[in-house]
Amino acid sequence: MAKKKERVPKYGTVMRKGHQYYRTRIMDADGKRVDLYAETCEELYQKELEARRQIEEAIFRRNNPTVAEYCEKWLLMQSAKVSEATLRGYTSKMNNYIVKPLGHMYMSDVTADDIRVALVPVSKKIGRYV
C-alpha cells in the first residue's frame, strides 16, 4: 500500500533582511501569538508541527504536574511562613520520603496504595507498621 503523502499547507511570505521567508503564526501555551519562519513550506510545516507538539506538552504538564513538581511548588509556598530551619527539614523529609519513591509519577496517577508503599520505609524506621 502506498504511503499517504503529507499535505503541506500554503503559507504566506514575508521579506526579512532582503530574504523571502514563509511565515505562519500560532498561539503558545500562554495564549500569546508566536511567529514561525522558514525558507521552504515543508520546513515551516515541520517547525509548526514541532511547535504544536511542544505547546501541547507544556499545557499537559501545567495541568498535570508530577509529584516532584508539586512538592517544589508546595515548598515555595511554605517558605513565606516558616523559618529557614523548618524549611530545610521539610525539604529533606520531602526529598527522602516523597520525591524519591513517587516523584516521577503524575499527581493524578498516585493511588492510596502508592502512598502506603512509599511509607513502608518510614514505618520501619519508627518501629510501627502502616
Side-chain angles (χ1 to χ4, degrees), residues 1-9 42 45-46:
M1 195 151 123
K3 188 175 180 182
K4 191 173 184 179
K5 189 174 180 179
E6 282 186 354
R7 285 190 83 142
V8 178
E42 292 80 11
Y45 181 63
Q46 292 304 319

Side-chain angles (χ1 to χ4, degrees), residues 57-74 77 102-110:
E57 184 177 318
I59 291 170
F60 176 80
R61 291 187 62 74
R62 183 182 301 150
N63 295 335
N64 301 298
T66 63
V67 171
E69 291 167 343
Y70 185 79
C71 286
E72 188 177 317
K73 183 178 180 180
W74 185 85
M77 291 186 294
L102 303 173
H104 65 282
M105 298 178 73
Y106 289 105
M107 289 289 290
S108 58
D109 295 340
V110 176

Side-chain angles (χ1 to χ4, degrees), residues 96-98 101-102 112-123:
N96 287 331
Y97 303 117
I98 298 174
L102 303 173
D113 290 339
D114 295 326
I115 295 169
R116 284 188 193 101
V117 169
L119 290 177
V120 168
V122 178
S123 66

